[in-house]
Amino acid sequence: DSTDASGNYSVIKLLTGTYTVYVTPPSTLNLIPFNTTIGVTQGETTSLNITLLTGGIVRGFALNETGGPVLSANLSLQGPVSRTMLSGPNGIYSFLGLPNGTYNLTAYSPLGANLLPFNTSFNLVQGQEILLNITMATGGVLQGVVKDEQGNAVESAFVTLRGPVNK
C-alpha cells in the first residue's frame, strides 16, 4: 500500500497480531526509511502516524584523471544502509536519505573502460550534505601476440595474470 497526496494510508484485512511496519519514501526524497512494530486487533482500527526524518546526502561527479565525466560508473555505497547506482549524464551521482554513520563508497569502471576502482570512507551526520567527487585513475595495459613455434597466431588462448590485480 502507498500513501496518497496527503500522506494518508490504510492497510485492511488484518488479523490480530504484532506487525512490523516498513515505510520506504520515494528515492527522489531525502528522507530516511522507517520501521517499527505495532499490535493490531482484528475488528478494531489502530492508528500509527509516522514522521520520516531528513537524511544525509552524498553527491558529486565520477571523473577520469583529466576531469572528464565517467558515464555509467557503477557506484556502491556500504554502511548503515547499502545502495548502488550508475553515474548519470556528466558523471553525476547522488545518494539521498542516508542515516548517521560511517560509509564506504566504491566506484567501478564502466564495461570496457580502462579505469581503476576508486574507494573512500566517510562519516555522515543526519541532515548533512557531502560533496564527494570521484577521480578514477587510468589503468595500465599489457598487450602482445601469442604464437606457436612456427610463428602462427594462436586463436582463443586465455591469458591470465596474477599480481597486484588478478586477471
Side-chain angles (χ1 to χ4, degrees):
D1 293 302
S2 63
T3 57
D4 66 15
S6 298
N8 297 310
Y9 72 96
S10 181
V11 182
I12 61 174
K13 300 180 184 175
L14 299 177
L15 299 174
T16 297
T18 301
Y19 292 85
T20 302
V21 179
Y22 299 93
V23 180
T24 305
S27 62
T28 56
L29 299 178
N30 184 28
L31 297 171
I32 298 173
F34 173 86
N35 69 72
T36 190
T37 56
I38 191 164
V40 173
T41 303
Q42 183 177 334
E44 294 182 13
T45 298
T46 302
S47 293
L48 176 64
N49 294 324
I50 298 164
T51 300
L52 298 178
L53 302 176
T54 299
I57 300 171
V58 60
R59 70 174 76 221
F61 294 89
L63 306 169
N64 61 29
E65 289 176 313
T66 62
V70 178
L71 177 65
S72 296
N74 187 347
L75 298 137
S76 173
L77 183 69
Q78 302 295 318
V81 296
S82 297
R83 309 259 172 84
T84 60
M85 71 171 301
L86 297 177
S87 60
N90 299 320
I92 196 166
Y93 77 92
S94 63
F95 293 101
L96 307 175
L98 303 175
N100 293 340
T102 300
Y103 289 87
N104 186 51
L105 177 63
T106 305
Y108 299 97
S109 173
L111 187 63
N114 183 23
L115 298 171
L116 299 175
F118 171 92
N119 188 59
T120 190
S121 294
F122 58 91
N123 291 312
L124 183 73
V125 177
Q126 180 184 336
Q128 179 183 17
E129 182 172 343
I130 294 176
L131 176 61
L132 180 59
N133 289 332
I134 295 166
T135 301
M136 300 177 77
T138 302
V141 176
L142 173 66
Q143 64 184 26
V145 178
V146 177
K147 296 181 179 183
D148 65 17
E149 293 178 81
Q150 287 76 39
N152 300 311
V154 177
E155 184 179 358
S156 299
F158 288 99
V159 177
T160 305
L161 295 178
R162 295 287 180 250
V165 176
N166 294 320
K167 293 276 189 173

